Amino acid sequence: MKVTGTALPFLPLYRRLLPSRLAGLSLALLKATALELAILAGHLLLYPSGITQERRTTPALPSPDTTQLPTETSPPVVLLHGFIDNRSVFVLLRRNLAQHGRHQVESLNYSPLTCDIRTAAELLGRHIEGICERTGSRQVDVVGHSLGGLIARYYVQRLGGDHRVRTLVTLGTPHSGTSVVPLANAHPIVRQMRPGSPILEELARPAPGCRTHFVSFWSDLDHLMDPLETACIDHPDLLAQNVRVSGVGHLALPVHPAVATGIRQALDATRTGAATVAAADGMTVA
């Protein structure tokens, strides 16, 4: 998006007062912050609609005398929200996936009182087994935002979930731990997201033969990742791709349409080891 002098009459003076790189960064930060606030306001309105678990449905069986046409071979998609959140954060992403042929999409709510990533990962495992039983699918894809990505990764690496999860996409997930908001350490699950926690040490252990394909989206304006690169996956045994996103903050990652496009590309990609989502320098969505 190009910002013109008409839209911001103070911009020429602003650029004269600040070095060009700093002015560009500050303007991008300003836009990202405004977007975060708008998304937060919208999410607060939607939050009550996502408090309860969604209804589970079993796909209808076709009539025996109906001519069988080729069907979608993509596995179901499981959406997993972040800390003190619920499935309402995925309203737009879910709609985007459905518009592009992904009709088997389910969200899992875990309690905001959950105090242990291991417990949440076990719940996720039971949920995925139920999906596979209902749909007849052997595997699922998972998209996890923030803490949700860490829970899904623990399930994959430590609970044998790699035989069920084909692709795990994480959005702003503190894979190496985040140091933001030290006062939040009062919550046990926040302490598990700190650098050097026992949970993160478990995830750093060898994971030979892990079959899941990981794609991690991280933003250069994510105010909840400290340092920013903690949202990247760095593990020698994992088939992982890190995608740098410019111009959006933490809350915008599961909402922004350009990121949704990248998520769809990640889910649709074959596991050839080639770059599947964006160019090496990442994607700019602002």
Side-chain angles (χ1 to χ4, degrees):
M1 180 175 67
K2 182 178 180 180
V3 180
T4 66
T6 302
L8 290 177
F10 57 86
L11 189 57
L13 175 62
Y14 176 76
R15 285 176 172 163
R16 285 198 299 269
L17 292 176
L18 289 176
S20 58
R21 287 185 60 189
L22 182 58
L25 176 61
S26 299
L27 188 59
L29 181 59
L30 181 64
K31 294 195 306 184
T33 301
L35 179 60
E36 289 282 280
L37 292 175
I39 291 172
L40 177 60
H43 187 39
L44 289 175
L45 292 175
L46 289 173
Y47 192 91
S49 67
I51 291 177
T52 59
Q53 293 282 10
E54 66 181 3
R55 297 177 59 184
R56 313 299 181 197
T57 59
T58 302
L61 295 175
S63 173
D65 57 352
T66 302
T67 301
Q68 297 295 302
L69 298 175
T71 58
E72 177 183 325
T73 59
S74 300
V77 180
V78 181
L79 306 176
L80 195 59
H81 62 79
F83 181 55
I84 315 181
D85 209 339
N86 62 39
R87 60 188 175 88
S88 63
V89 72
F90 292 117
V91 167
L92 295 181
L93 176 59
R94 185 170 191 152
R95 181 181 303 170
N96 188 295
L97 292 173
Q99 289 173 343
H100 290 84
R102 289 282 188 146
H103 301 296
Q104 294 185 28
V105 182
E106 294 196 12
S107 302
L108 170 64
N109 273 3
Y110 55 91
S111 170
L113 301 179
T114 299
C115 294
D116 184 53
I117 287 176
R118 301 176 186 88
T119 301
E122 292 171 357
L123 173 63
L124 174 63
R126 294 194 296 271
H127 180 71
I128 289 176
E129 290 298 324
I131 291 175
C132 291
E133 182 178 352
R134 290 197 314 274
T135 64
S137 179
R138 187 176 62 87
Q139 290 184 304
V140 302
D141 291 331
V142 179
V143 179
H145 180 227
S146 196
L147 172 62
L150 208 57
I151 292 171
R153 181 179 170 186
Y154 191 90
Y155 166 65
V156 166
Q157 276 188 246
R158 306 299 299 170
L159 301 180
D162 62 315
H163 78 291
R164 285 297 192 196
V165 179
R166 186 188 70 160
T167 303
L168 170 56
V169 177
T170 66
L171 310 172
T173 292
H175 290 287
S176 301
T178 177
S179 301
V180 75
V181 192
L183 294 179
N185 283 348
H187 198 294
I189 212 164
V190 173
R191 294 198 296 271
Q192 292 184 335
M193 290 189 285
R194 296 307 193 193
S197 72
I199 282 283
L200 296 184
E201 289 179 352
E202 284 188 59
L203 293 177
R205 294 175 186 170
C210 184
R211 290 161 283 189
T212 298
H213 179 206
F214 295 83
V215 180
S216 175
F217 289 82
W218 67 282
S219 171
D220 57 6
L221 294 177
D222 192 331
H223 59 284
L224 292 184
M225 297 297 107
D226 182 20
L228 292 172
E229 292 77 8
T230 189
C232 298
I233 296 178
D234 183 13
H235 194 294
D237 294 332
L238 301 183
L239 177 59
Q241 179 186 6
N242 296 302
V243 181
R244 181 178 182 268
V245 181
S246 298
V248 302
H250 189 78
L251 296 178
L253 285 169
V255 175
H256 202 287
V259 179
T261 298
I263 293 171
R264 293 199 319 270
Q265 291 174 356
L267 298 182
D268 293 339
T270 56
R271 295 178 55 181
T272 61
T276 58
V277 180
D281 57 350
M283 64 169 66
T284 299
V285 300

